[in-house]
Amino acid sequence: MTRRLPWTLLAVLVLAQICYPLTTGETRARLTVATVVLGYLLSVGHALLSRGPRTAAALVAVATVGGFAIEALGVATGFPFGSYDYSGELGPKLAGVPLIIPLAWTWMAWPAWLAATRLTGGDTGGLPGRRGDAGGRPGRRGGRFPVRRIALAAVGLAAWDLFLDPQMVAEGYWVWRDATPALPGLPGIPVSNYLGWLLFAVLMMGALRPLAGPAVAGTDGRDHPMFALWLWTYFSSVLAHAVFLDLPASALWGAAGMSVAAVPLAVTLVRSRRDDRIPPRQPQRPGVDATA
């Protein structure tokens, strides 16, 4: 049951996202909220089932609580994203922030971390008691601080906003007071927004590893639903923005940004699956001529 639940939630999430371009108005807004809640339950549930309460609590602390705090700061002061306001279409607000917004960042923060861990050579299995992370540098106690992993996870997560913000702004879910300077083809969203999210993503990923502990130092077969979520988000977003949502510029920007993690992950998983199908060579016994 614990292995099937993430796949079941992922299937429902995919179905909801497929329905998104087919809806409009209030129905689309409600579907957006439902999709975020499903994604949140999927990521936090997977963290709990695969790594335990400490990891799930750490994910909620850094992504949900931290995400709300940075959003509330942004709405109140304009730092670090720029000045913006949320509409009332995304449900209840607290301190001017719709409650589903920090849930959205939690939803994607977890697969971003796992994808980066897989690509930077984390300890296979990620079991408690393993010492340190691969792909980092020595810490003060002989461990390793995963600099490359944090950077890749942060870039992957922040790049997702190249899809998210243009889509949500087009729907009128939030609006920027001053949207200059903006990326070419993405009017209405200042560059400061993306830089702000990159900064927060670095802080978030940097805090997740020590708070969650050794359980997040590696990946294994339990993480395939999260890899599928990450790749589905990438490829479906490119298709949806380019074809169904009439947002070709964000399709290109998002495709380029998230490709830093998504494309190598897809290649790695395909190679791993291919290697698993190749039977190991049988050692030759001494004195036997294999060409005879």
Side-chain angles (χ1 to χ4, degrees), residues 8-94:
T8 301
L9 286 173
L10 177 59
V12 177
L13 174 64
V14 168
L15 180 61
Q17 290 183 315
I18 289 174
C19 292
Y20 179 89
L22 308 177
T23 60
T24 57
E26 185 177 351
T27 301
R28 178 174 283 189
R30 290 179 177 177
L31 186 61
T32 299
V33 173
T35 300
V36 172
V37 172
L38 279 169
Y40 183 79
L41 293 175
L42 172 57
S43 288
V44 176
H46 178 269
L48 176 63
L49 294 173
S50 65
R51 303 304 197 284
R54 176 179 173 179
T55 296
L59 178 62
V60 170
V62 301
T64 310
V65 178
F68 173 78
I70 197 71
E71 283 280 358
L73 177 66
V75 169
T77 69
F79 176 83
F81 311 113
S83 297
Y84 60 104
D85 295 293
Y86 285 104
S87 71
E89 297 183 66
L90 295 178
K93 297 180 185 179
L94 180 62

Side-chain angles (χ1 to χ4, degrees), residues 226-244:
M226 293 297 99
F227 297 148
L229 169 61
W230 186 252
L231 295 177
W232 158 258
T233 299
Y234 177 68
F235 290 109
S236 68
S237 295
V238 173
L239 177 64
H241 283 235
V243 177
F244 298 106

Side-chain angles (χ1 to χ4, degrees), residues 147-159:
V147 176
R148 290 173 50 232
R149 186 170 310 164
I150 289 170
L152 183 58
V155 169
L157 178 60

Side-chain angles (χ1 to χ4, degrees), residues 67 96 100 109 182 188 222 230 286 288:
I100 70 159
R222 300 169 299 176
W230 186 252
V288 175

